[in-house]
Amino acid sequence: MRAPAPAFAYSLNDETIAAAQAAIGGGLTHAFARAGEVQLHVTRDALIQALTALRDTPGLEYQQLMEIAGVDYPDRGVERFEVVYCLLSLTRNHRLHVHVRASEDTPVPSVTGLWPVAGWLEREVYDMYGVLFAGNQDLRRILTDYGFRGHPFRKDFPLSGFVEMRYSEEQKRVVYEPVKLAQDFRNFDFMSPWEGAEYVLPGDEKAKDAALPQAKGAQTPATATQVQNAGAAKTDAKAPAASSEPYAKTDAPSTAQTGAGKDDPDSKPKPADPDVVPGKGGQNQ
């Protein structure tokens, strides 16, 4: 008979906190439950001892390291980072988080001796946040490329600047170069496109009578401000130009000028198609 899966120990958070306080001791600074999960805050010096106790103490038995995450709190001052260890107890079907503070220069003890998988996870935290891990034998960048500057998940990481990054096939690495813009793209407009530009757009200087705005609704090279003021000001306005001038007519008082009901003088009867056999009745007969 198969043993049933262990029930989730959601209701045992208080007992878990009490057992963790007894196992860790003075290295535990804060312990509480938030959003249904236990959070344990420990000091850097007691990190290895605390994680070992959580893994090996009967009644806790958090055997598996699921993830190592980093958090950046710039307002905290020197120790602005937190490293969060997400643990899972397979026998108790329960999870908890272990938090430890870190600074940019003070390394955090590596837990690769407890869980070898931590080597990859610590490299991610180092790459994204710049947190150092003492004892990690292969602490290199893992997500960004060689030559990348800075750590992208820091909240003060610059998102814009005067340099651009690209991969150099000659140097086989990421290189930084000053931003080079063509002369056509050096002038930037930050005004709303609905307001229109205050300068003459390329090609508009060739339009005739550009200074005289046309009536509203007409095709015109005038700016939006001039068109808006055309209805309010009592100035002369040209009639909208027809798209087919000079052949288009302005009005058609009778059917004699429209050709309605008359065939084209040059039209000829459509020749019969020998492959089409007329049917008897039908929709198109």
Side-chain angles (χ1 to χ4, degrees), residues 159-179:
L159 299 180
S160 61
F162 301 98
V163 295
E164 59 183 356
M165 180 186 65
R166 68 175 181 88
Y167 181 80
S168 174
E169 188 65 31
E170 295 78 11
Q171 302 183 28
K172 303 297 182 181
R173 56 172 293 175
V174 169
V175 296
Y176 289 80
E177 296 176 344
V179 176

Side-chain angles (χ1 to χ4, degrees), residues 81 83 102-103 106 108 122 125-126 129-133 139 154:
F81 304 108
V83 182
S103 64
T106 305
V108 176
E122 290 174 353
V125 177
Y126 162 71
Y129 293 93
V131 178
L132 302 175
F133 292 90
L139 193 62
R154 289 188 179 182

Side-chain angles (χ1 to χ4, degrees), residues 79-158:
E79 292 187 343
R80 56 183 289 187
F81 304 108
E82 269 193 9
V83 182
V84 184
Y85 299 83
C86 305
L87 305 182
L88 170 65
S89 174
L90 299 175
T91 56
R92 301 175 63 241
N93 192 23
H94 191 262
R95 299 174 185 265
L96 61 77
H97 301 158
V98 179
H99 297 243
V100 60
R101 288 196 176 189
S103 64
E104 187 174 354
D105 302 325
T106 305
V108 176
S110 175
V111 297
T112 52
L114 300 176
W115 294 284
V117 70
W120 292 78
L121 304 177
E122 290 174 353
R123 288 178 61 182
E124 291 182 359
V125 177
Y126 162 71
D127 193 2
M128 296 291 104
Y129 293 93
V131 178
L132 302 175
F133 292 90
N136 190 315
Q137 302 299 322
D138 191 20
L139 193 62
R140 297 175 296 151
R141 292 186 180 270
I142 190 173
L143 297 177
T144 57
D145 211 326
Y146 300 108
F148 189 89
R149 300 176 187 174
H151 305 279
F153 279 5
R154 289 188 179 182
K155 300 212 176 149
D156 54 359
F157 183 77

Side-chain angles (χ1 to χ4, degrees), residues 212-236:
L212 182 61
Q214 296 181 1
K216 287 188 175 181
Q219 301 176 359
T220 173
T223 62
T225 304
Q226 293 174 331
V227 174
Q228 183 178 5
N229 297 334
K234 300 300 182 179
T235 58
D236 297 335

